[in-house]
Amino acid sequence: MNHNQAPPSTHLTNQYGASLVVNKQVIPLSSKITRLGRHLENDIVFHEEFLSRYHAEIIFENRQYVLYDRNSTGGTFVNGKKIDRCILNSGDLISLGNIQIMFVNNSSSLMSKSTSMTQGLGGFHGKR
């Protein structure tokens, strides 16, 4: 097996997978589907009134991460543009209401840059 690539499976290896960075915290995307919203059933729970209970989800499909808005009231934005579906690229800034989330994929330099960039933004609780 080539050790530079993630093994094919429904669970991604944290070492090779992507992450979300919020308020100086790195949240690995270690499952095929990561749900974001206010409801406790989500994988990443935000305690903010302005978010929908099931706001958005990130799905790993066809070797790429795709962000879907789940008919949220306030909308889901990537790099300032409202989206229904968006293929994520490393460094993309996801906005759910006034919560800013940096998507990072396999880049330690971007990871450190995005950690300092999202400093001071809060309002989430990761279940992982």
Side-chain angles (χ1 to χ4, degrees):
M1 179 198 306
N2 182 347
H3 291 288
N4 293 326
Q5 296 178 356
S9 73
T10 57
H11 283 81
L12 307 173
T13 306
N14 289 351
Q15 179 181 354
Y16 301 109
S19 300
L20 299 177
V21 181
V22 184
N23 195 27
K24 295 168 59 169
Q25 292 195 8
V26 177
I27 305 166
L29 298 179
S30 56
S31 298
K32 185 175 179 180
I33 300 173
T34 302
R35 293 177 178 88
L36 301 94
R38 262 189 6 240
H39 199 279
L40 293 176
E41 289 179 1
N42 289 297
D43 300 298
I44 302 173
V45 177
F46 294 91
H47 300 289
E48 299 290 340
E49 286 181 22
F50 52 81
L51 289 186
S52 296
R53 286 176 297 207
Y54 301 98
H55 198 99
E57 65 186 19
I58 299 171
I59 301 176
F60 185 72
E61 57 189 24
N62 300 319
R63 296 184 180 197
Q64 54 195 358
Y65 291 88
V66 184
L67 174 66
Y68 292 92
D69 180 78
R70 289 297 172 211
N71 298 314
S72 65
T73 305
T76 300
F77 297 79
V78 175
N79 300 324
K81 182 178 177 185
K82 188 172 182 175
I83 61 97
D84 291 320
R85 176 188 184 275
C86 179
I87 296 170
L88 293 171
N89 295 299
S90 195
D92 280 347
L93 189 62
I94 302 166
S95 301
L96 310 177
N98 64 4
I99 294 173
Q100 303 293 307
I101 304 165
M102 177 72 72
F103 174 77
V104 181
N105 194 1
N106 298 324
S107 172
S108 59
S109 63
L110 259 181
M111 183 71 75
S112 61
K113 178 181 176 184
S114 62
T115 299
S116 63
M117 200 169 134
T118 59
Q119 183 168 272
L121 301 173
F124 86 97
H125 170 72
K127 279 176 63 175
R128 295 180 217 257

